[in-house]
Amino acid sequence: MLGRVEAQKQINSSNNRSIDLVKSIFGYIVLTIIALIFIFPFLWMVATSLKLPTEVYTIPPKLLPETITFENFIEGWQYADFTRYTWNTIVVTTLAVLGTVISSSFVAYGFARFKSRYSTLLFTIVLGTMMLPDQVLLIPTYILFSKIGWLDTLKPLIIPSYFGGGAFNIFLLRQFFKTIPKELDEAAYIDGANSFQIYYKILLPQIKPALTTIAVLSIAYHWNDFLNPLIYLNSEENFTLAIGLKFFENSYGSTQIQMLMAVSLIAVIPLIILFIIAQKYFVEGITMSGLKG
Amino acid sequence: MKKILGFLLVVSLFFLMTACSSDSHEVNEQDNEKQSNGEEISGEITVMGWGGGEELQARKDATKIFQKMYPDVKVDEIWLPADSIDEKLDAALAAGDAADVIMLSPDWKALRAKWFEDLTPYFEKNNIDESLFTPGADDGYVLQDGKREGMPTTQSCFLIAYNKEIFDEAGVPYPTNDWTWDDFAEIAKLVSSGSGADRTYAIVSHWILNSFAPYLYGGTPYNEDWTTQTIDSPETIKALKLIEELIKAEAIPDDAASKSIPMDAMFVTGRAAMYPLGLFEAGEIAKKVGDSFEWGVVLPPKDPNGKHTNIKFQTGWAMNKDSKNKEAAWAYIETVSLNKEVNDIYAKVGIPALKESAETTFAEMTIPNTDIKQTEYLNGLEDAVTFPWGGSIQKAADIFFQLMDEIKTHKSTAKDAVEKYAPKMQDALDDIHERSH
Amino acid sequence: MIKKYSTKEKSEARLFYIYISPWILGFIIFTLYPIVYSMILVFTNADNTGIGTFIGLDNFIKAFTEDALFVKSLLNTIFYVAIQVPLSIILSILIAIALNKKNIKGIQLFRAAVYVPFVTAGVAVTLLWGWIFNSQFGLINYALSLFGIEGPNWLSDEKWAMPAIIIMMLWSIGNSIIITLAGLQDIPKQLYESTEIDGANGIQKIIYITIPLLTPTIFFNLVMGIINGFQIFTQPYVLTEGGPNHATYTIMMHIYNHAFKYGEMGYASTLAWILFSIIMILTLIINQTSKRWVHYDN
C-alpha cells in the first residue's frame, strides 16, 4: 500500500509542480495576513515602547515613532525591582508548570483509562470546579492559606499545581489519551507491562504535542497571573512581574504607558522565544500511526 | 454552619499536614527580642498601603523616617498596586490577619468602619485638632456616629487646565477664578469648532465630570447622611441640563466621540481647549504636552453660592481595631501623617495634610515639568467635596453613572433620565442603609 | 449476573483511584472548603468580608424577581457565548489547518504569531483596542471604508459594543488554535494519503477525515468555550465598563460588583451558584450528545 502511495505522489509531483508553486505562494500570503492580524497589537507595543511621552498620543494615531528612544526600557526597568520580580516569576512558573505537567497527565490517564462506579461523577466534579467564579472563592481560599501559614510565600502559587494540575489540563489530556487506541495498552499489558509503565513508556510519548500544549499554555498563565500573586503575596521581595507592571499605574488610574509597554515587552519576549523552541516537540510526537489506520 | 466550615477547614489542614509535613511550623523570632527600655515603643507592626510611582515612593520614604524615629519598632510593609485592592483587603480582614495600620479613604463612606479603631481618644490625648490640618484635608474622617476612622495624609483635587492657543485663536480671554458655570457654558461654545474628525471640543469628557455634574448649580446627589437622593432637586436638574446642552452643542464630546480617544490624548493633541486637571496626573499631562502649546490653570467655575465646584480625593491611615500593638500603630499613623519632614516629601505627590507643609513646601512648588505654581490646588481643596461615589455608596453611584450614560449616549434628556433613575437611586440608598443596620 | 463487580473491575477501580488520587487530595485540601463556604453564603446576607446572617432563600427570590440587571446581564452573556464560542471553534480549526503545513519554511514563526495575543492580552492592550474600534480613526472602520462601508460607532452603540467585545475575544483564541493544532498532530498521515488515491480534494479531506478525527478536541474547545465564555469579565470590564447602557454588562461583572463593590458577598455567591448551575446543565447536555458525535477511537 505504501508503495502505491509513493508512486502516486511521484506522478502528482511531476505534473503539478507549477500548480504547487502557486499554491505555496498563496499559502504564504494567507499565513502572512493571519500572522499580521494576530501580531499587530504586539507591533503596537513595540512601537509605543520606543516613543517619547509627547509622541504616544497623536491624532490620527500613528504606529511608528518619529524619534526612537530606548529610555523607556532603562527608566521602566528601574522603576521598580523588576530583576527581583523576574526571578520570582521564573521560580513560580518553572515549579508550577512542572507540577502541572506531571500531575495532570497522571490524573488524566486515570480518568481516560480506568473506570469505577463513580468515575463519571468525579469527572463531572473536575469540570464543575471550573464553573464557579473565583471571586466568590477568593476569601475562603485566602483564609485557608492564611491558616496554614502560606501567605507571603510562593507556595500558594506553586504547590496546588502538584495536586491534579488544574481541571483544564486534566480535561485536555484526558481527551488526548482517549484518542489513543486501547489495543496499544493491551498489547503492552500482554508483554508484561504494568499500568504505570504503560502510562510512562507507551502513552506519554504519544501525547507529546498535547503535553507541550499544556506546558506552553500554563507557562503563559503563571507568567501573567496577577490576581493570585496580589492576594497571597505581601512583601515586595516576593512579588512577580505581573504585580510589578501594575505599579506603572497610580491610584487614580493614570498610567505611564510607554514605560509599561517597554517592560511588558521585556516580560513577554521570553515566552514567545520559548514557544518557538517548544514547537520542536509539537511535530515529533506521533509514531504509532500504523496501529491507528 | 460555622461548625461545618470549621470541620472542613480542619480536614483540609489534616490532609495538608500529612501531605507535606515539613512546612508546618514557623518560629517567630521577633517574639524573643524584648526591649529593655520600657518607655520606648517597640514591637512589630504591619502596614498596608497602595499606589504607584512617586506616590508610592513617598510612602516608603515616610516609613523610613518613622524607622529613624522609632528604631525599636519593626515595620513590615505591604505596598501594592492600587488595582484589585478591595479583594485583598477584604480577604485579609475576613481571615483576621489584616495589617495593624491600613490605608483608607473617607470616600469609602464607612464601608470598613467596623474593622477600624476609633481614633478620637488618640487625637484628644495628643491634642490634635483642626488647626493643624490643611483646610479641607480632614473632611469625612469623622463618621455620622462621631467615630473617627482615620487620619488624613495626602489629598488631591482639580483645576481646569486650558490651552492658551485655542483660546487665542477663538479670541476668547483666558478664564479667571471668578467665572461661573454660565460663563463656562458660554466660553465652551466659543472655543469649540470644526466638525466630525476635526472637531475641537471645549473640554474633554474626563471621568471626573460625572462627579462634578450634580454640584454645578449648588445641588448635590444625595443628602448629608446619604439617606435620600437629591438628584431630582431643581439645582441638580439644572446642572444636568447644562451638561446635556453642552454635549448636544458638541462642546463636550458625547459617548461615541470620547470613547475611542483616550481623554488625555484629546487635550494633549489640542483637540480640546480645557481639561479637568487632577493634581495626581498634572505632572504626567505636562510631560505629554511638552512644548506643543502654552497652557494655564484656573479654579473650576463657581456655583451660585460662590463656591468653586471641586471634588477631592483623600488618602489617610486607619488602625486595625484588632491590632496587637496599638501603641506602635498609633506612633506610625501620627508620624506618617503629621511629621513635617514626611509632609514635605508628600508635597511632591499630593497636598500634604499638615497645614505648615502645605502652605510652605507645597505652595512653593510648581507642577512638575512646568513653571505653573501649585498654590491654586490649595484653594481648590478648601471648597472641594469628598469624592461622592466610593465605598458603601457604589451601588447608588452605578445608578447615577447609568443616568449620565443615557445623557451622553443621547438616549434620554437630562429631565427624563432623572425621572427614570431618581427612584432607583433611592431604592439603592435604602438598600445600603438597611444593610448597614 | 450474580456478581455485579468482577475482580477485574475491582482492580480497575483501584487503579482509577490511585491515578486520580493527587486530584482528590487537592480537591479536599484546596477546593472543598472554599466551595462549601460559598455555598453556605448563598443563604445569608454576608457582606464584603463574609459576615452575615441566615436569610433563607431571599437571595434567590431577589435574583429572579427584583434584579432586572441580573436578567439583562445573563441575556448579554448568553448572546456572547452563542456567537463567540461557535465562531472561535470554526476559526481555530481553519487557522490550525492553515498552520499545520509542515513543509513551509518559517512555520514556527507563523504559529508563534498566533500565540502572541494570548500572552499579551492584558489590560495593557485596552488602549490599543480603543483605537482599533475608534469610529473616526479606527483601523476596522478604515478597512471597511476601503469597501465603501461606513463602520459603526463600535464602543458607544448598544448594538455594536458586544460584537466589538466578541471580535476582541476572537483575536485571543491562540490557546484553542494551539490545542487544535495539537489535535491535528494526532491524525495519521496515511489516512490522508489513502483518500488522496481515492481522488479526494482538500475540502473533502477536511470534512471526511480532519473534522471527525478532531472531534475530541472540538468537544474540549466547546466545553471550555462555554465554561470560560459564561465567565467573561476582564475584557468588557476594561474596554467598555459594561456600557453603553449595560450593553456589554456580563453576569460576571454583576457578580463582581455585588461581591466587592456593593459589599454583598452573600448575594454574589447566590448569583455565582446560579451561573454554576447554568454552565453545569449545558455541559451535561453537551456531554450527553457527545456520544453521538465525538469519536475517540477511529
Side-chain angles (χ1 to χ4, degrees):
Chain A
M1 177 168 166
L2 266 174
R4 237 181 92 193
V5 174
E6 285 308 310
Q8 187 73 27
K9 269 193 162 175
Q10 294 265 308
I11 297 161
N12 283 350
S13 66
S14 57
N15 283 354
N16 303 336
R17 195 154 287 163
S18 57
I19 296 174
D20 279 355
L21 187 70
V22 172
K23 260 189 177 173
S24 80
I25 290 173
F26 180 73
Y28 264 111
I29 293 172
V30 169
L31 285 176
T32 309
I33 292 172
I34 294 174
L36 276 180
I37 291 174
F38 278 97
I39 214 167
F40 179 76
F42 181 75
L43 297 178
W44 179 79
M45 277 175 75
V46 175
T48 309
S49 68
L50 297 171
K51 284 178 182 169
L52 295 167
T54 42
E55 256 195 77
V56 172
Y57 295 137
T58 51
I59 293 179
K62 281 193 207 107
L63 181 60
L64 297 176
E66 266 163 35
T67 37
I68 288 178
T69 172
F70 290 97
E71 200 52 35
N72 297 322
F73 288 88
I74 299 157
E75 212 183 317
W77 195 260
Q78 289 162 351
Y79 195 80
D81 195 356
F82 281 106
T83 315
R84 178 96 210 188
Y85 303 162
T86 308
W87 171 245
N88 290 334
T89 312
I90 290 172
V91 170
V92 168
T93 306
T94 313
L95 294 178
V97 171
L98 196 69
T100 301
V101 174
I102 296 170
S103 184
S104 63
S105 65
F106 198 72
V107 174
Y109 172 62
F111 276 115
R113 281 302 194 248
F114 306 105
K115 288 218 162 9
S116 93
R117 212 161 153 184
Y118 301 110
S119 50
T120 316
L121 175 71
L122 285 168
F123 190 69
T124 311
I125 296 176
V126 170
L127 293 183
T129 56
M130 290 186 282
M131 300 175 190
L132 203 60
D134 287 346
Q135 302 180 338
V136 295
L137 303 177
L138 194 144
I139 287 180
T141 314
Y142 180 96
I143 294 176
L144 184 67
F145 287 131
S146 162
K147 291 278 180 285
I148 53 182
W150 282 12
L151 289 184
D152 204 21
T153 70
L154 301 179
K155 289 175 198 164
L157 310 175
I158 296 169
I159 292 176
S161 305
Y162 288 81
F163 290 86
F168 177 91
N169 300 310
I170 296 175
F171 182 24
L172 179 64
L173 291 183
R174 168 196 178 255
Q175 292 303 95
F176 276 82
F177 275 125
K178 283 184 93 168
T179 58
I180 303 171
K182 268 202 167 170
E183 293 92 73
L184 213 60
D185 304 34
E186 275 151 23
Y189 185 72
I190 290 162
D191 289 348
N194 63 30
S195 70
F196 184 76
Q197 285 164 327
I198 292 171
Y199 155 76
Y200 188 71
K201 293 213 172 114
I202 315 258
L203 297 187
L204 272 194
Q206 300 288 349
I207 59 157
K208 253 193 202 167
L211 287 175
T212 314
T213 302
I214 63 160
V216 162
L217 295 182
S218 49
I219 287 171
Y221 170 79
H222 288 286
W223 194 269
N224 290 325
D225 184 18
F226 166 67
L227 195 59
N228 287 308
L230 178 84
I231 302 292
Y232 303 126
L233 302 177
N234 288 333
S235 334
E236 238 176 305
E237 68 243 32
N238 289 329
F239 282 178
T240 59
L241 272 173
I243 300 182
L245 289 173
K246 294 277 181 177
F247 281 121
F248 287 111
E249 207 175 288
N250 75 12
S251 43
Y252 306 95
S254 166
T255 310
Q256 317 229 24
I257 186 87
Q258 341 69 267
M259 282 203 259
L260 173 65
M261 289 301 155
V263 181
S264 301
L265 212 57
I266 302 175
V268 131
I269 282 173
L271 296 187
I272 297 171
I273 293 172
L274 207 69
F275 180 78
I276 294 170
I277 296 169
Q279 288 183 51
K280 205 172 70 184
Y281 303 98
F282 223 75
V283 274
E284 260 183 4
I286 310 306
T287 45
M288 84 316 181
S289 333
L291 247 165
K292 251 192 154 177
Chain B
M1 110 185 185
K2 272 249 158 95
K3 267 184 193 162
I4 305 171
L5 280 177
F7 172 72
L8 272 174
L9 197 57
V10 170
V11 171
S12 303
L13 298 183
F14 170 77
F15 272 98
L16 201 77
M17 299 294 176
T18 45
C20 38
S21 52
S22 60
D23 309 306
S24 49
H25 28 162
E26 271 169 33
V27 182
N28 196 343
E29 286 162 27
Q30 251 66 43
D31 288 347
N32 305 330
E33 291 173 23
K34 204 78 200 157
Q35 290 300 321
S36 50
N37 194 339
E39 298 236 324
E40 291 226 352
I41 297 170
S42 65
E44 190 174 350
I45 53 165
T46 308
V47 300
M48 176 175 162
W50 44 88
E54 285 181 35
E55 172 198 3
L56 189 53
Q57 194 52 51
R59 306 273 175 206
K60 290 180 189 169
D61 291 345
T63 305
K64 281 191 196 120
I65 291 170
F66 171 78
Q67 293 273 243
K68 250 189 273 162
M69 294 168 65
Y70 297 90
D72 295 333
V73 178
K74 184 177 181 292
V75 183
D76 294 318
E77 296 166 85
I78 307 175
W79 300 113
L80 302 162
D83 197 313
S84 304
I85 210 67
D86 290 330
E87 286 99 313
K88 168 122 186 169
L89 180 53
D90 288 341
L93 290 169
D97 66 359
D100 299 276
V101 181
I102 298 166
M103 200 181 251
L104 96 163
S105 171
D107 64 39
W108 289 0
K109 305 267 180 211
L111 179 64
R112 299 185 178 92
K114 68 176 174 219
W115 299 95
F116 297 148
E117 178 91 352
D118 185 357
L119 295 181
T120 315
Y122 298 85
F123 268 58
E124 280 165 5
K125 201 175 142 204
N126 293 276
N127 296 320
I128 299 167
D129 64 45
E130 273 289 298
S131 63
L132 271 175
F133 295 119
T134 310
D138 192 38
D139 293 354
Y141 287 97
V142 178
L143 305 176
Q144 299 287 334
D145 57 6
K147 175 178 178 174
R148 173 175 276 277
E149 64 164 353
M151 163 88 98
T153 56
T154 56
Q155 286 61 233
S156 183
C157 63
F158 292 84
L159 295 176
I160 306 286
Y162 57 93
N163 180 329
K164 289 184 178 172
E165 278 173 27
I166 297 178
F167 273 74
D168 290 344
E169 262 167 52
V172 179
Y174 304 143
T176 51
N177 280 344
D178 59 354
W179 62 337
T180 65
W181 284 101
D182 288 329
D183 299 335
F184 176 86
E186 215 167 289
I187 291 170
K189 283 166 196 164
L190 294 173
V191 294
S192 47
S193 62
S195 65
D198 293 324
R199 180 78 182 164
T200 300
Y201 294 92
I203 189 163
V204 302
S205 188
H206 194 286
W207 47 264
I208 198 64
L209 279 191
N210 271 349
S211 305
F212 266 72
Y215 297 99
L216 310 185
Y217 287 106
T220 49
Y222 46 75
N223 67 348
E224 214 150 275
D225 57 359
W226 31 284
T227 49
T228 316
Q229 61 79 21
T230 53
I231 48 169
D232 58 359
S233 70
E235 295 86 5
T236 312
I237 292 178
K238 190 179 174 196
L240 296 180
K241 269 187 178 160
L242 179 78
I243 301 279
E244 180 197 350
E245 199 186 300
L246 289 175
I247 288 171
K248 284 215 174 111
E250 288 186 83
I252 300 177
D254 66 4
D255 189 69
S258 68
K259 223 161 217 167
S260 23
I261 310 170
M263 56 171 198
D264 34 358
M266 203 171 248
F267 180 70
V268 165
T269 56
R271 292 299 170 118
M274 292 178 276
Y275 186 92
L277 189 67
L279 177 60
F280 54 86
E281 58 177 348
E284 272 303 300
I285 297 288
K287 205 157 135 195
K288 284 171 189 161
V289 173
D291 16 279
S292 317
F293 56 82
E294 289 276 299
W295 56 285
V297 292
V298 61
L299 280 171
K302 285 197 242 180
D303 65 19
N305 308 323
K307 275 177 93 178
H308 292 280
T309 310
N310 216 328
I311 305 278
K312 63 187 159 205
F313 289 99
Q314 300 151 276
T315 309
W317 287 106
M319 190 195 297
N320 186 339
K321 74 170 172 27
D322 297 326
S323 166
K324 300 223 166 54
N325 196 346
K326 288 184 180 164
E327 204 184 12
W330 169 252
Y332 182 86
I333 292 173
E334 196 187 15
T335 309
V336 300
S337 307
L338 297 174
N339 178 285
K340 172 81 164 60
E341 200 185 337
V342 168
N343 276 274
D344 286 349
I345 293 171
Y346 288 160
K348 280 183 277 184
V349 294
I351 303 172
L354 189 70
K355 197 176 179 183
E356 197 189 341
S357 288
E359 284 173 355
T360 57
T361 320
F362 177 84
E364 280 157 21
M365 291 170 84
T366 55
I367 293 173
N369 314 314
T370 68
D371 50 15
I372 300 168
K373 283 259 182 208
Q374 292 190 145
T375 340
E376 221 58 283
Y377 277 108
L378 282 181
N379 300 327
L381 186 71
E382 207 167 342
D383 281 353
V385 292
T386 301
F387 177 68
W389 300 121
S392 306
I393 286 288
Q394 287 184 85
K395 201 172 188 177
D398 281 354
I399 289 166
F400 178 73
F401 293 145
Q402 186 56 28
L403 183 162
M404 294 305 291
D405 215 16
E406 293 215 351
I407 297 174
K408 287 198 233 159
T409 54
H410 309 285
K411 200 179 174 179
S412 333
T413 62
K415 203 167 163 279
D416 291 347
V418 167
E419 257 166 44
K420 185 169 164 193
Y421 286 101
K424 289 188 185 182
M425 205 164 137
Q426 188 56 52
D427 287 347
L429 290 176
D430 291 346
D431 205 33
I432 291 163
H433 280 275
E434 197 184 313
R435 288 184 59 80
S436 66
H437 292 125
Chain C
M1 292 283 267
I2 302 164
K3 253 170 78 180
K4 216 176 173 190
Y5 294 98
S6 68
T7 32
K8 191 178 171 244
E9 278 166 333
K10 262 186 199 158
S11 78
E12 193 184 329
R14 210 189 48 163
L15 285 173
F16 172 74
Y17 288 113
I18 288 174
Y19 281 101
I20 72 159
S21 60
W23 174 78
I24 293 184
L25 272 177
F27 180 77
I28 295 171
I29 297 170
F30 299 114
T31 323
L32 191 59
Y33 170 72
I35 285 182
V36 175
Y37 182 101
S38 78
M39 206 186 271
I40 289 171
L41 290 197
V42 162
F43 306 102
T44 69
N45 62 357
D47 68 4
N48 47 327
T49 52
I51 295 170
T53 50
F54 184 77
I55 54 165
L57 293 174
D58 284 7
N59 285 332
F60 287 95
I61 296 166
K62 184 178 163 195
F64 289 110
T65 60
E66 289 169 36
D67 193 354
L69 263 186
F70 163 64
V71 179
K72 169 104 182 162
S73 68
L74 190 57
L75 291 177
N76 284 342
T77 312
I78 290 170
F79 174 81
Y80 167 81
V81 171
I83 309 279
Q84 199 269 348
V85 173
L87 276 180
S88 75
I89 290 173
I90 294 166
L91 275 177
S92 304
I93 294 171
L94 293 178
I95 295 173
I97 289 173
L99 289 173
N100 197 30
K101 300 194 170 57
K102 293 178 189 85
N103 48 355
I104 286 186
K105 263 202 183 139
I107 191 73
Q108 296 96 320
L109 295 178
F110 287 112
R111 287 179 184 167
V114 172
Y115 179 67
V116 164
F118 182 69
V119 291
T120 53
V123 182
V125 290
T126 332
L127 252 182
L128 170 77
W129 283 95
W131 172 25
I132 289 175
F133 288 120
N134 185 316
S135 54
Q136 291 164 1
F137 318 104
L139 297 176
I140 291 189
N141 283 5
Y142 174 73
L144 289 174
S145 73
L146 296 179
F147 300 96
I149 304 166
E150 199 191 325
N153 279 330
W154 290 94
L155 299 181
S156 66
D157 187 325
E158 283 178 53
K159 282 198 290 295
W160 290 103
M162 193 53 110
I165 301 279
I166 291 173
I167 291 172
M168 185 179 174
M169 289 308 285
L170 284 176
W171 169 75
S172 54
I173 53 170
N175 59 341
S176 54
I177 295 175
I178 291 161
I179 289 163
T180 314
L181 205 50
L184 287 175
Q185 310 308 311
D186 242 10
I187 301 173
K189 273 185 222 137
Q190 282 89 335
L191 277 181
Y192 289 118
E193 283 161 356
S194 60
T195 51
E196 248 166 51
I197 292 163
D198 298 339
N201 66 23
I203 293 170
Q204 283 168 326
K205 276 191 277 182
I206 291 175
I207 294 174
Y208 296 112
I209 299 176
T210 314
I211 303 282
L213 291 186
L214 213 50
T215 47
T217 314
I218 296 173
F219 174 71
F220 175 83
N221 279 337
L222 178 63
V223 171
M224 285 315 304
I226 285 171
I227 291 175
N228 291 332
F230 269 97
Q231 297 183 62
I232 181 172
F233 174 71
T234 315
Q235 288 75 11
Y237 186 75
V238 294
L239 193 62
T240 55
E241 293 170 46
N245 297 316
H246 289 133
T248 54
Y249 190 69
T250 65
I251 179 147
M252 273 303 285
M253 292 172 82
H254 202 51
I255 291 172
Y256 173 82
N257 281 347
H258 281 279
F260 292 104
K261 273 175 78 185
Y262 306 159
E264 298 176 8
M265 190 57 86
Y267 187 57
S269 300
T270 310
L271 297 176
W273 278 96
I274 294 172
L275 176 64
F276 172 89
S277 317
I278 294 169
I279 303 174
M280 185 52 102
I281 289 166
L282 271 174
T283 307
L284 290 177
I285 291 172
I286 291 166
N287 193 38
Q288 277 302 311
T289 66
S290 75
K291 286 173 189 119
R292 261 175 281 152
W293 62 273
V294 180
H295 313 287
Y296 288 108
D297 234 319
N298 25 83

